[in-house]
Amino acid sequence: MRVIERRGRGRSGPQGPGYGVEAEVDDAIAVMEHTGSSLVFGHSHGGLVALHLGLRRTVAALMVYEPGVSIAGSFDARWLPSFTHLLQNGKRVAAMATFLKGTRLTPIGDAPTPVFRALAFLLLRGADGHDTSAMMATTPAEIGEIARLDSDGTRYAGIASPTLLMGGGKSPTYLTGVLPRLAGVIPDARHVILRGLDHNAPDLNAPHVVAEQIRAFTQVRLPEERPQ
């Protein structure tokens, strides 16, 4: 298995001028060609990248968890200008609070803004605070791409790979609601909603559950393949 540190994350370089999903697809294809990998998994914005990789080449299996796809305006990015302004002015806690409230990725619903600010403060001061803070810089360009690529979804009919679309039962509906629509467009696709899981299941809360879905999908569809 090879895990890509996408642009602006970990030891990878910055997003760079002219950043877009296609640049990330170029990166992923380069890694696949270098390693000989034939299976692709993407989560969140990485899921959007994986789907667009699937538009450029057929892989043995394409698997995504809550990809950052907007269909007919399903992804509401109206909070992005405020987030970007706050971030550019060094107001990281306020920016993170705006992100959390706008994306609804926490289980606190429509809590008052001070609650989101308190949670943002804890996240940025916690054990993973440095990484969280560093990734905030990638958010404007990534969310901008999701908004730019908003469509009726029919472009994804060009994906020829066997495709598994996953989501969590505790995630916001704007993330999971696009899955059946994508499954209806991609010729060889199915979707599954995993009860009790949220958006952070693949990397934080339930990676073993997601891994089991991947294992089962690859074994049924591709008995001679093994995840890479």
Side-chain angles (χ1 to χ4, degrees), residues 4-183:
I4 299 174
E5 292 185 330
R6 294 193 297 104
R7 295 188 177 206
R9 299 164 184 257
R11 291 176 293 176
S12 293
Q15 290 173 324
Y19 168 83
V21 162
E22 291 306 315
E24 300 244 33
V25 172
D26 290 341
D27 296 341
I29 289 176
V31 172
M32 292 183 70
E33 291 178 345
H34 180 73
T35 62
S37 298
S38 60
L39 310 179
V40 176
F41 170 77
H43 169 216
S44 195
H45 193 77
L48 176 65
V49 174
L51 291 176
H52 281 259
L53 185 152
L55 290 173
R56 284 179 45 183
R57 65 167 51 188
T58 301
V59 298
L62 180 63
M63 298 152 288
V64 298
Y65 187 96
E66 297 182 4
V69 173
S70 185
I71 297 180
S74 59
F75 192 102
D76 185 355
R78 288 177 295 179
W79 53 269
L80 183 58
S82 178
F83 171 89
T84 303
H85 176 76
L86 290 166
L87 188 63
Q88 290 174 342
N89 284 277
K91 299 180 179 180
R92 292 187 172 272
V93 171
M96 176 58 73
T98 299
F99 172 84
L100 295 173
K101 190 174 181 67
T103 58
R104 307 196 304 279
L105 293 179
T106 63
I108 57 178
D110 292 324
T113 297
V115 175
F116 283 98
R117 288 182 65 91
L119 178 58
F121 179 85
L122 293 173
L123 287 173
L124 292 172
R125 297 298 188 275
D128 297 323
H130 177 76
D131 291 339
T132 301
S133 181
M135 286 190 296
M136 289 174 70
T138 69
T139 299
E142 291 182 359
I143 300 300
E145 280 294 273
I146 294 174
R148 182 182 71 83
L149 292 168
D150 178 78
S151 69
D152 62 2
T154 56
R155 64 158 56 98
Y156 299 105
I159 295 175
S161 308
T163 303
L164 175 63
L165 306 155
M166 294 173 280
K170 295 172 66 176
S171 295
T173 56
Y174 74 86
L175 289 172
T176 57
V178 299
L179 301 181
R181 300 175 73 172
L182 288 170

